[in-house]
Amino acid sequence: MRKSIIAGNWKMYKTINEAIDLANGLKRELFKLNFSSVDVVLCPGYCALSEVAEVLNETDIGLGAQDVYWQDEGAFTGEVSPVMLKDAGCQYVIIGHSERRQFFGETNQTVNKKIRASLKHGLTPIVCVGENLQEREAGQTFNLIKNHLQGSFEGLGAEALLKTVIAYEPVWAIGTGKTATPDEAQEVHQYIRQLLKEMYDEETAGQIRIQYGGSVKPENIAELIGKPDVDGALVGGASLKVDSFSAIVIKASEVVK
Ligand code: 13P
């Protein structure tokens, strides 16, 4: 059995005070949640990490960053190391988000280095893969996913893979209101698991959690997560409000597979 994992990617939203308010609101709403059926992670911007960590202290809600650099320290102006993220209270880190690939030159090679560095410091990487609209329309979805997965995990063994979470985020569904249908999501999630089986083995592939991301809302979470290979969600816009994110988490916790 794979435990579902719902993560909120706050992207470049929320000042420190707004982040504290949102985290406090979620803490209140999710107080009674059965955390044995779902993992919950909040990923604020760097500036608010330690304040949100303080709010989440002694709760079952996890904390993640949205990116990381692969060196422990050094003259790398503007970068943030895994050591610093641990120090700020993070347990997770999103790596290779499509916005980083699209706007900041992220490649499979840099994703690979970031996964290695995160694992070295005990952070759980949430590794994003996904095709854009052009690639989907050209029938290249599976090839693109294969390229992202093989490149990102190159040289990494099953032990490393087992410590990561994968997020399938079709770029055409991010922030557009256009969600992949549950069947479309399942088709790609199943492909990802099949590919991991070929790259590693059946047991390893069967244990990896694969989140779906792209316009996830309270209205569509249950159906998405009801699919056999969809093990959670990486939520953008709907994670910025207490009502919508807590509704997503509660609905996900009620889905019995
Ligand atoms: P939206 O939920 O706003 O579509 O964003 C998805 C996403 O990119 C999460 O990482």
Side-chain angles (χ1 to χ4, degrees), residues 12-198:
M12 202 176 72
Y13 293 98
K14 307 290 176 192
T15 60
I16 294 175
N17 280 333
E18 289 166 349
I20 292 172
D21 284 350
L22 178 54
N24 268 317
L26 290 168
K27 187 171 142 178
R28 267 194 303 274
E29 284 300 311
L30 299 177
F31 181 67
K32 290 197 188 129
L33 188 80
N34 176 8
F35 283 94
S36 63
S37 68
V38 65
D39 284 330
V40 183
V41 183
L42 309 184
C43 303
Y46 288 133
C47 295
L49 281 174
S50 31
E51 278 82 358
V52 172
E54 212 163 296
V55 175
L56 301 182
N57 193 20
E58 292 183 7
T59 73
D60 289 313
I61 303 175
L63 183 72
Q66 300 171 19
D67 191 22
V68 64
Y69 193 58
W70 56 80
Q71 299 280 358
D72 291 0
E73 61 177 11
F76 302 105
T77 303
E79 293 296 326
V80 176
S81 80
V83 178
M84 293 167 174
L85 295 185
K86 284 289 282 188
D87 189 44
C90 292
Q91 301 91 34
Y92 295 84
V93 57
I94 298 171
I95 297 177
H97 191 279
S98 63
E99 285 149 19
R100 301 236 43 102
R101 291 182 188 260
Q102 197 178 342
F103 304 126
F104 303 102
E106 188 90 272
T107 63
N108 288 338
Q109 288 69 38
T110 57
V111 169
N112 185 274
K113 289 184 189 182
K114 291 176 180 186
I115 296 173
R116 288 170 189 272
S118 301
L119 291 174
K120 180 175 149 203
H121 292 285
L123 288 162
T124 299
I126 297 177
V127 181
C128 303
V129 299
E131 81 288 0
N132 63 31
L133 186 59
Q134 211 181 353
E135 288 152 351
R136 174 157 280 255
E137 286 177 344
Q140 291 302 311
T141 299
F142 287 172
N143 280 342
L144 199 280
I145 299 288
K146 190 174 189 174
N147 172 288
H148 278 175
L149 275 179
Q150 290 183 337
S152 301
F153 287 97
E154 193 173 340
L156 287 163
E159 204 185 314
L161 183 75
L162 283 168
K163 290 186 186 135
T164 71
V165 173
I166 291 173
Y168 167 56
E169 297 207 306
V171 179
W172 49 270
I174 296 178
T176 57
K178 202 175 164 199
T179 323
T181 65
D183 285 338
E184 280 172 333
Q186 168 59 22
E187 185 187 28
V188 180
H189 282 232
Q190 192 175 10
Y191 174 74
I192 291 172
R193 209 174 300 283
Q194 177 60 33
L195 194 61
L196 293 176
K197 187 173 142 187
E198 288 163 24

Side-chain angles (χ1 to χ4, degrees), residues 9 11 97 99 169 173-175 214-216 234-237:
N9 174 7
K11 306 195 180 182
H97 191 279
E99 285 149 19
E169 297 207 306
I174 296 178
S215 299
V216 173
L234 184 53
V235 187

